[in-house]
Amino acid sequence: MKGHTPRRRFGQNFLVDRGIIRSIIEVIAPQPQQIMVEIGPGLGAITEPLLERLDHLHVIEIDRDIVARLQAQYQPGRLTIHAGDVLDFDFAALPAPFRLVGNLPYNISTELLFRLVPHAHRLIDAHFMLQREVVDRMVAAPSTSDYGRLSVMLQYRFAMTKLIDVPPDAFRPAPKVNSAVVRLRPRAPHDLTVVDEALLGRVVTAGFTKRRKTLRNALEGVIDASGLEALKINPQLRPENLGVADYVAIANRVAQA
Ligand code: SAM
């Protein structure tokens, strides 16, 4: 690993399959002047081919040894290194619109995805390598077992497409799980408008905390049966049966109450 011992605590499974790397770069199709940010560049599997096509790249990296390698390898004019935890990174400070890319450390991936939701309007798109099971949850349709809080909160803001299936042997060390590359593109702002995004998050959390109960019970204290009926939502349904637009409608009604 070019003299670097992979650190499990940082989810370091480095991409080594050249064919997969080429496919990732092809689907991203970087254009020289675009503002692009890579989360977790590691040993540069994606960083290097990105920099062959871009004038400049931002990277966010937590591992100090890797930061030191990147500092030695690249000129600051080509690579801006943000050393630290991406969960503390201020995406609002980046010039917009920007593109995001990352073979993400799997232990923080869902938390990171939730944190990106409020920044959707500043993004062109994002391409992430994730556990395939997480990608399945992101793109899941209502009334399926994969459908949950992650599906609703991301589908509210993004159109998402699973692009590439990636087997464990594409990485060193090989992870125990299958992976997939997913594209997120922000939905048009007028598409689904919620008055209070934090409230939407609370309604969705309340629903999926009790996903086997009826809506009447799961959303007790949030909205009553008559409120649901006024929205033409049957209170006997279960939280997993509602589409994103239904959750937006509930959050907007609660906001007006
Ligand atoms: N991009 C490289 C590749 O494809 O081979 C490395 C991918 S590896 C799965 C994840 C990378 O994210 C590692 O470089 C790791 O050090 C970095 N990382 C892990 N946790 C992080 C965090 N909280 N913030 C920023 N970077 C992190």
Side-chain angles (χ1 to χ4, degrees):
M1 283 285 121
K2 301 183 197 167
H4 176 84
T5 305
R7 295 193 162 104
R8 276 185 68 169
R9 71 177 184 283
F10 293 148
Q12 291 180 351
N13 299 98
F14 298 110
L15 198 50
V16 292
D17 185 311
R18 302 212 156 272
I20 299 277
I21 293 170
R22 208 177 311 119
S23 304
I24 292 174
I25 301 299
E26 263 170 35
V27 295
I28 296 173
Q31 302 301 311
Q33 312 252 306
Q34 288 177 326
I35 301 165
M36 193 162 312
V37 184
E38 186 188 1
I39 300 168
L43 302 179
I46 308 173
T47 321
E48 282 183 28
L50 283 177
L51 271 169
E52 283 168 16
R53 290 159 179 80
L54 292 167
D55 294 344
H56 176 267
L57 177 67
H58 291 267
V59 294
I60 307 167
E61 176 57 63
I62 199 169
D63 185 324
R64 286 191 201 156
D65 291 343
I66 289 179
V67 167
R69 291 168 74 114
L70 293 168
Q71 282 166 339
Q73 206 175 343
Y74 296 101
Q75 299 295 324
R78 301 239 34 231
L79 190 74
T80 301
I81 304 168
H82 305 270
D85 189 337
V86 66
L87 296 179
D88 297 329
F89 186 77
D90 181 12
F91 285 98
L94 285 171
F98 60 91
R99 305 185 73 190
L100 267 178
V101 43
N103 170 12
L104 296 185
Y106 294 164
N107 53 339
I108 61 157
S109 57
T110 50
E111 185 170 353
L112 177 67
L113 290 165
F114 281 119
R115 285 180 189 222
L116 287 177
V117 171
H119 301 286
H121 63 289
R122 306 183 69 243
L123 266 176
I124 296 173
D125 58 15
H127 290 84
F128 292 138
M129 172 91 74
L130 294 160
Q131 262 176 271
R132 194 182 301 171
E133 168 256 328
V134 173
V135 175
D136 290 341
R137 282 165 49 206
M138 292 164 74
V139 302
S143 307
T144 63
S145 59
D146 284 333
Y147 187 67
R149 192 165 79 98
L150 188 69
S151 330
V152 177
M153 295 311 290
L154 291 178
Q155 290 174 25
Y156 159 61
R157 275 296 192 203
F158 298 103
M160 293 176 290
T161 318
K162 181 170 148 182
L163 297 173
I164 308 170
D165 280 317
V166 185
D169 64 8
F171 304 89
R172 294 283 181 285
K176 291 196 175 67
V177 293
N178 287 309
S179 304
V181 176
V182 64
R183 173 187 290 144
L184 296 84
R185 281 209 173 117
R187 299 169 73 134
H190 58 267
D191 206 0
L192 276 175
T193 307
V194 80
V195 177
D196 179 342
E197 210 163 289
L199 182 58
L200 174 68
R202 290 201 294 280
V203 171
V204 173
T205 301
F208 284 101
T209 305
K210 298 177 183 168
R211 62 184 288 146
R212 303 266 166 248
K213 300 209 167 185
T214 62
L215 284 172
R216 178 198 295 272
N217 289 327
L219 295 182
E220 195 182 357
V222 178
I223 187 168
D224 60 17
S226 63
L228 289 167
E229 278 158 357
L231 296 171
K232 305 203 177 346
I233 296 172
N234 179 352
Q236 295 306 323
L237 290 174
R238 296 180 200 285
E240 64 188 16
N241 303 131
L242 297 192
V244 179
D246 297 319
Y247 277 105
V248 169
I250 293 172
N252 284 346
R253 185 173 173 95
V254 173
Q256 282 157 11

